[in-house]
Amino acid sequence: MLRRWRKTRAVGLCDPQINPHCSPETDWPADGLLRLLSFNVQVGINTQRYHHYLTRSWQHVLPHAGRAGNLQRIGDLLSDFDLVALQEVDGGSLRSGYINQVEYLAQQGAFPYWYQQLNRNLGRFAQHSNGVLSRLRPTLLEDHPLPGPPGRGAIFLRLGEGENALGVVMMHLALGARTRTRQLAYIRERVSEFRHLVLMGDMNTHAVDLLEDSPLRDLGLIAPQVEATFPSWRPQRCLDHILLSSELELGRVHVLSQPISDHLPVAVEIRLPEAQNGAQMPMLKTPSPE
């Protein structure tokens, strides 16, 4: 049994899951903006003080009645966005009441497409995962385990085709600096094809470290927000980021004052250069009928 849980993961080419409860979007948003959100949801636990890491630690392994209401609040928040990166979600185990939290949040936020990346499979006890929710169908979706101890992963996706495509990497990086550098080097090697690039997730370090002292430093990325995101009840460290290629036009940038988890969510609006002046985005393709 334990060997099954520790099975070696490999890079996988994947299809997004379809939410049958809503209709897929076929066009770029009418205002030309794509609304991005990154959120570490801490498996639906509402941590509000440091001592809750001890007193509420049992909620990481056992079900809790308050989790459903907290997930509902998270789902309501996500409904205002087009592309969402989730970290620390459960894929359906004892602690989550056997609810796949990525699928649940896709339904609550009316997202047509979703994908759960299972990074640490502890069977019925825990399904440690990342997730993506999207209103636009990805033209490519890849599941990548990251270097270092098992349990960390990145989701690579592409919206559109050709030179106008948007490359997006969603990740939850390691706590240790050495392992984190290996993980960023892995990501850097696989994103050079994209003219337009977004990196988003819980990166467990500050923007200056990422842009100036990491393998990402030659990509010319910008960090549009540097407000603290952790801990949510008294933010002191900026650990959650949405990094962008400098060619992408920025709209609104903000950290949401929503202490639902122990991290605050980060939101960024972008417009690709080809979408300026109200032009229709040529990069999106209509999903084929199921």
Side-chain angles (χ1 to χ4, degrees), residues 22 27-28 46 86 91 114-115 176-177 180 207 223 225 228 234 239 270:
C22 62
D27 297 312
W28 191 260
N46 187 4
L86 298 170
W114 61 276
Y115 179 74
R180 193 166 54 241
Q225 75 82 24
R234 190 177 179 182
L239 304 181
I270 63 170

Side-chain angles (χ1 to χ4, degrees), residues 67-80:
R67 199 186 310 262
N70 209 39
L71 283 176
Q72 178 66 61
R73 289 190 289 273
I74 293 171
D76 293 342
L77 171 68
L78 302 184
S79 64
D80 292 331

